[in-house]
């Protein structure tokens, strides 16, 4: 371990703490020299402040770590692809991460780190919020790569494809009536809020329905990965792809695809729900977003980052989402939805998705570290498109919505 580097960072942080009036009475800064780092930095006299508004800039003062790249995984096999291959052997414990995934993992010079959120929207939002607010980290210049598996649309992807969304859409924010109880002329049981039919723009918006990411950075991430050899999946995956209509992308080899992602806590499957959710993606994005992957976290992650970006804790233009396709969202012709969904042997594309997320993500990580001074310290891939949420929280004018 680079003890000297750690100690000099600690001294610098102690000096910053001492210089900051809001943190002057901070009680302790506790860095262990084991492979688990634990720091406690507390403001003990906040209650005695006379100002009615106490604004504390966290994430900079006293920060020990300023990673250049932070990979975000959702569960263990996604995490292993990065932690094992890049030897992210240092565990940094951070308060309020998932009880199941309590550590940020780091390489030996603290330039590349990863965090695992736990699965589902609640875990993703909680972990990213905790990390963004942690006084251990200065994430203001950090590039974030969301690296997780997803279900894929057979129209645009196949098992092992790696997709790069510009839009993330949260499709669960709708009314639902069980499809056994719907009128005969409805295609599915989902209806947009404050409307009584589908494909009408929702009449009420929570703000997390749609996020737009930096397209220029996304395109760079794809371009530097354009020559990687992607894992083709098992012989079972190759055979299974052929069950679909040969006009669909699913029957081809895995590729890198620029297309958009849908978030729902519900792990759904089947052609009817695919139609419901892809229609929603189309409606809420004013036809700008093209649904091609389905997962359980991205809009939660992006909402937490949005709030952090609003307060200068992270840069929203430095986020890339990668979703590797582990399974297909609907059955091939001649097979019903339940047989398809519950046949593990048919859904077995996860290993190629994990491998390909790392294979395609590594050139981007190397690009960021290798060209830090010239291209990334000051982001040369500045967005040409609107970035942010429905409420224009980060400024600019959104290109979707009412
Ligand atoms: C979820 O986030 C994605 C960005 O990954 C965005 O394109 C999408 O519109 C969001 N969806 C919802 C319903 O919030
Ligand atoms: C630092 O952590 C150790 C081990 O948890 C604890 O015993 C000690 O009291 C802490 N020191 C301070 C100053 O908080
Ligand atoms: C690191 O944390 C883990 C999990 O809390 C614990 O089992 C382990 O003993 C710790 N290691 C050290 C060196 O403190
Ligand atoms: C560090 O984290 C890894 C991955 O989460 C875990 O397998 C390992 O046991 C942890 N090491 C310690 C010392 O806690
Ligand atoms: C830090 O380590 C990474 C590999 O983990 C290496 O690519 C990079 O050059 C190192 N950076 C410095 C400043 O030593
Ligand atoms: C379904 O039928 C009802 C009653 O005829 C009609 O009002 C409604 O517009 C129809 N909905 C669709 C989606 O066609
Ligand atoms: C990909 O390969 C082509 C042909 O060898 C080469 O011209 C191009 O520079 C490579 N691109 C990257 C990003 O490595
Ligand atoms: C890779 O997968 C594609 C699509 O399933 C198949 O056509 C091709 O033969 C496979 N290649 C190899 C080397 O298995
Ligand atoms: C395959 O898709 C094409 C184009 O959508 C369609 O014309 C054709 O009927 C489909 N074939 C089968 C067997 O479903
Ligand atoms: C789906 O197909 C399987 C096998 O043909 C059959 O046993 C099952 O009853 C079918 N389920 C439905 C819901 O149609
Ligand atoms: C998006 O579509 C809705 C109708 O669904 C329309 O009222 C709105 O003006 C459109 N917004 C933009 C930015 O084009």
């Amino acid at each position: 371990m680079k003890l000297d580097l750690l100690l000099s960072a600690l001294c610098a942080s102690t000096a910053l703490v001492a210089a900051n009036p809001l943190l002057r009475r901070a009680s302790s800064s506790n860095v262990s020299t084991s492979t688990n780092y634990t720091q406690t930095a507390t403001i003990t006299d906040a209650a005695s402040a006379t100002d009615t508004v106490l604004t504390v800039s966290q994430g900079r003062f006293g920060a020990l770590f300023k990673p250049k790249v932070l990979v975000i995984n959702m569960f263990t096999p996604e995490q292993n692809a990065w932690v094992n291959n890049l030897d992210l052997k240092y565990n940094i414990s951070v308060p309020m991460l998932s009880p199941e995934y309590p550590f940020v993992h780091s390489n030996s010079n603290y330039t590349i780190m990863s965090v695992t959120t736990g699965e589902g929207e609640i875990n993703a939002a909680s972990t990213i919020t905790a990390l963004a607010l942690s006084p251990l980290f200065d994430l203001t210049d950090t590039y974030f790569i969301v690296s997780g598996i997803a279900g894929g649309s057979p129209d645009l992807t196949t098992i092992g494809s790696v997709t790069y969304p510009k839009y993330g859409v949260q499709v669960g924010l709708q009314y639902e009536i069980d499809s056994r109880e719907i009128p005969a002329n409805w295609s599915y049981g989902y209806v947009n809020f404050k409307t009584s039919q589908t494909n009408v723009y929702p009449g009420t918006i929570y703000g997390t329905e749609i996020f737009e990411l930096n397209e220029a950075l996304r395109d760079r991430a794809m371009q530097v990965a354009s020559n990687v050899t992607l894992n083709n999946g098992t012989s079972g995956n190759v055979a299974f792809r052929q069950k679909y209509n040969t006009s669909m992308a699913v029957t081809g080899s895995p590729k890198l695809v620029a297309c958009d992602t849908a978030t729902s806590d519900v792990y759904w499957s089947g052609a009817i729900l695919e139609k419901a959710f892809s229609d929603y993606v189309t409606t809420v994005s004013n036809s700008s977003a093209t649904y091609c992957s389905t997962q359980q976290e991205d809009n939660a992650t992006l909402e937490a980052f949005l709030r952090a970006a609003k307060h200068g804790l992270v840069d929203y233009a430095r986020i890339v989402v990668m979703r590797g396709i582990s399974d297909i969202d609907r059955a091939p012709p001649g097979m019903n939805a339940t047989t398809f969904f519950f046949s593990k042997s048919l859904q077995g594309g996860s290993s190629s998705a994990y491998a390909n997320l790392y294979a395609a993500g590594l050139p981007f990580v190397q690009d960021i570290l290798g060209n830090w001074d010239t291209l990334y310290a000051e982001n040369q891939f500045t967005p040409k498109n609107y970035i942010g949420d429905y409420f224009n929280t980060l400024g600019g004018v959104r290109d979707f919505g009412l």
Side-chain angles (χ1 to χ4, degrees), residues 121-275:
E121 295 176 53
I122 292 172
N123 281 322
S126 303
T127 288
I128 298 302
T129 301
L131 184 62
L133 288 173
S134 170
L136 283 172
F137 297 90
D138 179 344
L139 301 175
T140 48
D141 290 336
T142 302
Y143 287 83
F144 300 97
I145 303 173
V146 176
S147 173
I149 63 170
S153 161
D155 298 320
L156 293 170
T157 70
T158 193
I159 292 164
S161 294
V162 179
T163 65
Y164 292 78
K166 173 173 144 188
Y167 292 94
V169 176
Q170 183 184 7
V171 296
L173 294 179
Q174 298 192 63
Y175 301 131
E176 182 190 4
I177 295 169
D178 189 285
S179 53
R180 286 166 297 196
E181 297 182 79
I182 61 176
N185 66 351
W186 287 21
S187 305
Y188 38 77
Y190 281 85
V191 173
N192 294 345
F193 283 156
K194 289 271 177 80
T195 71
S196 55
Q197 52 186 314
T198 50
N199 306 329
V200 172
Y201 211 89
T204 190
I205 287 285
Y206 292 1
T208 57
E209 287 84 353
I210 176 157
F211 295 100
E212 191 165 340
L213 296 169
N214 182 351
E215 188 173 23
L217 187 66
R218 185 275 303 267
D219 291 348
R220 175 72 176 190
M222 292 186 72
Q223 187 243 316
V224 296
S226 55
N227 287 346
V228 296
T229 303
L230 295 176
N231 179 307
N232 206 27
T234 62
S235 55
N237 298 149
V238 171
F240 179 65
R241 290 174 183 138
Q242 308 316 320
K243 295 181 187 296
Y244 287 85
N245 188 323
T246 51
S247 70
M248 292 175 141
V250 67
T251 58
S253 302
K255 295 188 172 54
L256 309 183
V257 195
C259 55
D260 301 308
T261 194
T263 302
S264 171
D265 273 328
V266 177
Y267 188 150
W268 55 270
S269 185
I272 295 173
L273 291 178
E274 183 280 327
K275 174 81 174 125

Side-chain angles (χ1 to χ4, degrees), residues 201 286 399-402:
Y201 211 89
N286 288 54
D399 48 4
F400 47 78
L402 298 179

Side-chain angles (χ1 to χ4, degrees), residues 86 107 109 111-112 369:
L86 289 180
N107 68 345
N109 63 25
T111 51
I112 307 173
L369 294 191

